[in-house]
Amino acid sequence: MAIDLESEPPFRVGGVAIDPVSREATYSGSHERLQPQTLKVLIALHRRQNQVVTRHDLVDSCWDGRIVGDDVINRSIQLLRQF
């Protein structure tokens, strides 16, 4: 299912509060704004906690099925790991 940031409810990951509408992450009194595609990947992974999420799943839900290269997906994952 495609991810629409405007209709996603806020959620928590560990000690971080995520607001998809504003794309803001709040933790330890700090705020950081996430890039839309990176946030979509985070939402896709959060929706399927403790499950395998394939690259195909990510393309379907985060890129609306458009053809994207592995580099694009890898970059989103890398940004999440740094975050």
Side-chain angles (χ1 to χ4, degrees):
M1 174 162 64
I3 295 172
D4 175 19
L5 296 178
E6 296 298 318
S7 63
E8 287 291 325
F11 63 97
R12 293 189 72 79
V13 175
V16 181
I18 308 290
D19 181 3
V21 174
S22 69
R23 297 188 351 244
E24 198 160 282
T26 305
Y27 54 96
S28 303
S30 298
H31 300 282
E32 186 171 333
R33 196 163 165 93
L34 299 172
Q35 295 177 10
Q37 284 308 124
T38 304
L39 182 53
K40 285 182 179 184
V41 171
L42 178 60
I43 291 168
L45 296 173
H46 183 261
R47 282 181 178 175
R48 300 198 33 207
Q49 294 178 47
N50 302 315
Q51 297 178 21
V52 173
V53 180
T54 67
R55 289 176 180 272
H56 180 75
D57 294 335
L58 291 175
V59 169
D60 282 348
S61 60
C62 303
W63 283 274
D64 300 322
R66 290 182 302 239
I67 297 172
V68 295
D70 284 344
D71 289 348
V72 173
I73 297 169
N74 293 343
R75 178 71 177 145
S76 290
I77 297 296
Q78 179 186 23
L79 288 170
L80 284 174
R81 287 180 176 155
Q82 289 172 354
F83 169 71

